[in-house]
Amino acid sequence: LHTQSFPSATNLLGNISLCYYDIRFCQFLSRLKAKASTMVKQWSSWWLLLSVLIQTFRVGAASDKCERLKTSLTYRQEKAPRDLSGVLPVVVERVNRVLDGVVDVEVEWDGGNLHGIVGDHIVKCRVTRLASSLRDDDMGEEELDTDEHGRPVVEQCFHIPFTILDTNECTLPVGHPMRHQCHEPAQCVNTIGSYECVCPLLEPEPRMMEDATDAYWEKLKSQHRSPWELSLTTESSCSQSASTYGCCPAFGHSAEGSRCRSSFRCPTDSCSSGDLNDCASNARCTRTENPATRPNYDCKCPHGLMGNGHACRPGIDAKPRPMVKFDGVTPTDETIKHNYYCGCTKPVVDACAGFPPCKGANEICQVTASNSAVCACKPGYVFAEGYGCVDESPPVLKLRNDPLNDHTTRLKQGDVYKEHAVDIVDVNAEDYMRSLKIAYSQPLPPGCLTEIGEFHVNYTVATPWTSPPYVRVTRKVIIEDIDECKLDVSKYDMSCPVLVPKCDFAAGATCVNTKGSYTCHCPKYTTGDGFKTIPSDQKAKPRGYKGGTGCKDTSKPVIELSGPNPKILKACKCGGLTGIMGKNKPGASSDGEGLLSAQRKTYEDDIKDLIASTAGAELCATHTKTNPSANDCVKATDHTYQGAVDLTQRVKVGDPVQKSNYAWKVPYNVMDDAGNEAKTVWREVVIEEVDLYDLEHKI
């Protein structure tokens, strides 16, 4: 054995027929043969193991008395018995053909799938035979027994050989239970007892797949393959593999082996069939580098045709009209916009596409009947000598911001005129807008409008080739009066300060609206123009303005005296001694006259002292009102536009002015806030000298 090659050892193992003592071991040996190729590579002590097995067989042969039938049962995998119900009839039939006197057959079945394992197998059975049917040399050492019918019988053990031949799963018809599970485009490769699924080569080698030997699988594994020759990444078992060999279980008919192979997916070459791509019939289908690309093919139009190469979809794609520019090569923008159109069509030359721009105004490129390009007037224009391409119909001017369509814009004083211009109703409006002229009948103020009235705005578009040589529309602008006296001062102080009334409101002036302006009026008890000063640069001044004198208070206060006027003050008259019978004669005593003269000299000072000590209250004191206040003696009133103002506290009592030897007058004066002085009012003060004799005489 040591001088034999490994393949010879495998063949020798296939010829061993020492399976006499146990059917399970025979099944193991059959599987061992199927795996011999792999085991030889993996086990370095193969020959030692084989020696042990042979010794075991010899021991079993010595102890097992089962006889091997000479005739063998041969089946292919797809027709081999699958279970005990299939094995039993076959074994019984074979036993009855070979042996005589058979009354009972017992098959020992371990439940294995013999039909799935290629090779030689043994089925052990015990046969009960009538002793009368056996020759003496057939008895051997079997013991004679009696069955239930009282017949002498002998029980014998037999080994029935089974041979399972390989079935090519790749050629079985669709629907056959053992047909391969490879999913197209994967190809089926038959192996001994099973099969594998292989992704097809883009350039297949002749006869490479006819002999699936170890060398075949090694070569397949070592080959450099493109992504199109490897299984898919996410949708397949054995991802990125050339085949299921070495990935799926070796026995392809097991549950896991079948599932693994049926899940193996190879890339589908969409260009292999017209049903797998949407390329037009005259386009060439080419694979992309990566089969995972969606779509994984490209459609190329042949030379001289233009399009995206994909078949046109009725009702979806536009009719193919590919065009190239005047150079005959470059596709037009419209063609690019439509993705070069569907299918593959011979392009039409657009003579104006890419043609140099026309230099004349309103000229465009146009194609002649001979499909050549020329510069001509664009639609809506005609050629006029001296003007070139001009609009054949005059434009229509329509005023903007004209809600009543009466060509009138109504504004108020304080508004700002905003130029809304016109809309030129014409397909060539943009060209006309360049020559639009706007003229005003009077200069516009730089800011707000302050004067009432109206002005006009003319909008003119020149059309020198028509008669008249222009188109014109006029806007009338009316500026209406605003009541300046009711303006929101906070608003107009910023937007139009000229309109804010300049009346002297602090002095009581009132604002009166007039047409187009206003005026200011001063209140009662004041005089002036009622205006504050208006800047000199303001040209139009309101009516009644006289320099901005405002409203000044010119009303004088009025003083009214209370109490006696004249005020009588009494003094004792010095005249010497007086008796019961009468008084002294005048001049009887020079000293008395001197005293009287001295007394009279102090009267004025005494009056001043009385005024000063009583704040003037003494001047209105009477026997019935002996203790008046100073305000009880006088009242001062100032009449203003805001009403009467009491100035009594401001009244000043002046020094007495002598009118005669025994009479004085005292002045009362007062001044208001505006500096107006009241007319001086006088109170008379009279000194009455009383003689003692006369007083007693009266009493």
Side-chain angles (χ1 to χ4, degrees), residues 507-622:
T510 56
C511 177
V512 178
N513 187 57
T514 62
K515 187 175 182 180
S517 185
Y518 69 95
T519 188
C520 301
H521 291 172
C522 286
K524 186 179 180 181
Y525 304 115
T526 64
T527 58
D529 61 3
F531 290 87
K532 291 183 177 180
T533 302
I534 297 177
S536 58
D537 58 352
Q538 181 176 325
K539 296 180 180 180
K541 303 294 193 298
R543 187 180 63 184
Y545 180 75
K546 297 179 181 179
T549 60
C551 295
K552 297 189 179 299
D553 182 3
T554 57
S555 175
K556 295 181 179 182
V558 177
I559 300 175
E560 297 178 5
L561 297 179
S562 299
N565 191 10
K567 168 67 175 179
I568 305 299
L569 296 177
K570 296 184 180 294
C572 181
K573 183 178 181 181
C574 298
L577 296 175
T578 60
I580 297 301
M581 299 298 296
K583 63 180 180 178
N584 290 333
K585 293 180 180 180
S589 173
S590 58
D591 291 337
E593 287 296 330
L595 290 174
L596 184 59
S597 176
Q599 176 179 304
R600 289 173 177 167
K601 291 179 179 180
T602 65
Y603 285 164
E604 184 170 326
D605 291 335
D606 291 342
I607 295 173
K608 290 180 180 180
D609 290 340
L610 287 175
I611 294 173
S613 62
T614 63
E618 176 61 37
L619 298 181
C620 63
T622 63

Side-chain angles (χ1 to χ4, degrees), residues 352 355-369 372-384 387-391 428 431:
C352 283
F355 188 75
C358 297
K359 296 181 179 180
N362 303 317
E363 284 186 344
I364 59 173
C365 175
Q366 293 187 3
V367 180
T368 65
S372 60
V374 296
C375 288
C377 293
K378 61 184 180 182
Y381 285 79
V382 294
F383 183 80
Y387 297 102
C389 295
V390 296
D391 195 347
N428 306 301
D431 295 333

Side-chain angles (χ1 to χ4, degrees), residues 413 481-489 492 498-503 505 509-521 531 542:
Q413 288 175 283
D481 178 54
I482 189 174
D483 189 348
E484 292 89 344
C485 300
K486 296 181 180 179
L487 290 182
D488 182 352
V489 176
Y492 283 86
V498 174
L499 294 181
V500 177
K502 300 299 189 294
C503 295
F505 295 112
T510 56
C511 177
V512 178
N513 187 57
T514 62
K515 187 175 182 180
S517 185
Y518 69 95
T519 188
C520 301
H521 291 172
F531 290 87

